[in-house]
Amino acid sequence: MKKMMIALVAMFVMTMSANAQSINDSKLTFDRLSNYLELRVDQREPVKVAMTQFTASMEACFQLKDGTKAGEAWEKVQAQHKKTMKKILDTKQYKKYTQMLDLTAKNTADRLMDEATAAK
């Protein structure tokens, strides 16, 4: 649960940094994701909308003061987001996306745990 909460905070921080980027940087980031997933033209807008909703939901989770409730909310948000993405992406794209999402969360949580341990 502790790793999940750290990952939630990290994802929020990454989201806030992404929002602070210029429009060109955000476009570049989305273009890279599109290229990585090999999105078809008809998938680009639904993925963009899903990512925007995911970001807003992550921010809402971060606003919860109770760590347990935030963790539970994060699990629901992530499950709903994956369900949405599964409807948009084909099997190969979805597998690549979930691997990327899960690995990013794991690496971020591990890095933050290492930093927290080193700070003590």
Side-chain angles (χ1 to χ4, degrees), residues 103-120:
L103 185 61
T104 300
K106 180 192 177 308
N107 288 344
T108 302
D110 289 347
R111 181 177 49 82
L112 290 173
M113 289 293 288
D114 291 344
E115 288 174 3
T117 302
K120 288 183 180 183

Side-chain angles (χ1 to χ4, degrees), residues 15-16 20 31 60 63 65 78 85 87 98:
T15 300
M16 293 309 290
D31 288 345
Q63 299 300 318
K65 302 295 183 201
Q78 188 176 23
M85 293 300 282
K87 291 177 184 176
T98 56

Side-chain angles (χ1 to χ4, degrees), residues 24-35:
N24 290 337
D25 287 346
S26 297
K27 183 180 179 334
L28 178 62
T29 302
F30 183 75
D31 288 345
R32 287 181 178 167
L33 175 67
S34 296
N35 288 335

